[in-house]
Amino acid sequence: MNNNLVTIIIVTYKSAHIISKALEKIINKGFRIIIIDNDSRDNLENIIADEYSNKEIELIKLPKNIGFGRANNIALARIKTKYAFLLNPDAFIIGDALEKLIHYMEKDKNIALAGAFDVKKIDPSKDEIINAVNNHKKTVEIIKENQDLIETSFICGGYMLLNMSVFIKLGFFDENLFLYGEDEELCDRVIANKYKIIQVKTAFVYHQEHSATKTKGMLEKYLLLYKRYSHMGWSRVYLKRKRGKANIDIFISLVFQLLSSFLYLACFSFRRFIIRFARAKGGISNLLLFKKLK
């Protein structure tokens, strides 16, 4: 396969501790790689210079953290290849998964997005692969299925292949979303415009979730947890409103979520309190401050 067909994009935020694991799976395959760093202020630049100076990696360091979608959009606007593959720094491609995604996308110009299945080990057994596919099928809407692939309404943005000709028409990520929900909104537009989203049954990644950002100490860990779920709450409400759900119904649900979060605090479950409180707070802030939807 011609590896000049695709550019791999990795958005990082304090990910220097794990980036080498992601790169080692792809670095010798001839793919062009763009790394967008969201003002991490870690030693990522030194790692790229010391370990990968002879590789085709472009590092773009941003002066502030602009979020997942906006950072990806900067890279997407720069690339000239037929396809772009978005890869989280804590997601590791297994074998020739990317080549398989490209193979099926090459066969059908109406495929806009293609994704792999997330397995729990870098070297999964046959039974583990079968379980991963079957378990994932329970969580997504299946449009069609055959022995090779699943046509669905959603795939994860952490390991997503984009047909660039489609997204030049549809646009890239919605920049109102800072973190979480960007892939859902993108998939919604794909389906609305009659394009296809597929998952290939023989393509796999290992996604070590919530390990992409390094924290120091419990305070920073809980602060990151709060920020993540606040952004998640904001994004969930944004998507509900964009899909036409009434503001009053959303507000009632959020107030209940906010008040019930204190039950976890009373039970000394501080982590669950933070998650539930942050999601409610993020959602309410969307209702109060974000009046107009595009």
Side-chain angles (χ1 to χ4, degrees), residues 166-177:
V166 173
F167 292 101
I168 288 171
K169 299 174 187 175
L170 300 186
F172 301 136
F173 287 109
D174 184 336
E175 296 196 354
N176 291 311
L177 293 162

Side-chain angles (χ1 to χ4, degrees), residues 48-267:
I48 301 302
D50 294 344
E51 299 181 24
Y52 306 105
S53 60
N54 62 335
K55 303 297 182 181
E56 193 175 357
I57 297 177
E58 179 182 3
L59 174 61
I60 301 172
K61 293 181 67 65
L62 301 179
K64 65 178 182 178
N65 185 355
I66 63 172
F68 178 81
R70 290 181 184 179
N72 270 302
N73 284 353
I74 289 174
L76 288 166
R78 297 167 70 97
I79 71 172
K80 305 298 183 183
T81 49
K82 190 174 181 179
Y83 305 115
F85 184 68
L86 311 186
L87 182 66
N88 277 9
D90 57 353
F92 314 135
I93 298 174
I94 297 176
D96 58 353
L98 180 50
E99 289 88 341
K100 289 175 179 175
L101 299 185
I102 294 170
H103 168 76
Y104 284 100
M105 195 171 275
E106 284 279 276
K107 294 172 69 173
D108 187 345
K109 65 180 181 180
N110 288 320
I111 296 174
L113 296 170
F117 285 93
D118 179 12
V119 292
K120 302 304 179 185
K121 295 180 181 179
I122 292 179
D123 186 20
S125 68
K126 184 177 180 179
D127 287 342
E128 287 166 341
I129 288 172
I130 293 171
N131 288 336
V133 173
N134 289 336
N135 290 336
H136 191 76
K137 284 165 60 177
K138 297 175 183 177
T139 65
V140 297
E141 178 187 351
I142 307 300
I143 297 172
K144 293 180 183 177
E145 182 178 3
N146 60 39
Q147 63 180 6
D148 299 316
L149 55 86
I150 294 169
E151 185 179 339
T152 182
S153 61
F154 171 78
I155 59 172
C156 175
Y159 30 92
M160 172 188 280
L161 181 69
L162 289 79
N163 182 339
M164 290 299 293
S165 65
V166 173
F167 292 101
I168 288 171
K169 299 174 187 175
L170 300 186
F172 301 136
F173 287 109
D174 184 336
E175 296 196 354
N176 291 311
L177 293 162
F178 182 86
L179 184 64
Y180 296 114
E182 306 93 341
D183 45 10
E184 288 187 56
E185 193 281 332
L186 195 70
C187 289
D188 283 354
R189 276 188 281 134
V190 167
I191 297 299
N193 285 276
K194 311 300 183 184
Y195 290 102
K196 298 177 183 178
I197 303 170
I198 66 166
Q199 286 183 287
V200 177
K201 292 182 178 180
T202 55
F204 306 100
V205 297
Y206 170 63
H207 187 198
Q208 195 173 342
E209 290 187 272
H210 302 311
S211 61
T213 300
K214 188 174 183 178
T215 57
K216 299 177 181 178
M218 290 301 295
L219 180 61
E220 190 172 344
K221 180 180 178 180
Y222 280 122
L223 181 60
L224 178 64
L225 185 71
Y226 175 83
K227 288 181 177 179
R228 275 180 172 161
Y229 280 92
S230 181
H231 287 307
M232 183 183 292
W234 195 100
S235 298
R236 297 307 306 165
V237 169
Y238 178 83
L239 291 174
K240 287 177 181 179
R241 295 177 68 195
K242 198 166 186 179
R243 291 164 178 164
K245 190 165 183 178
N247 285 0
I248 185 62
D249 293 337
I250 298 172
F251 180 73
I252 291 171
S253 175
L254 289 171
V255 169
F256 173 78
Q257 184 177 339
L258 183 69
L259 295 175
S260 63
S261 68
F262 289 94
L263 294 175
Y264 290 108
L265 192 60
C267 296

Side-chain angles (χ1 to χ4, degrees), residues 265-276:
L265 192 60
C267 296
F268 303 101
S269 181
F270 190 56
R271 187 177 188 277
R272 289 187 178 183
F273 163 72
I274 289 176
I275 290 171
R276 195 166 180 85

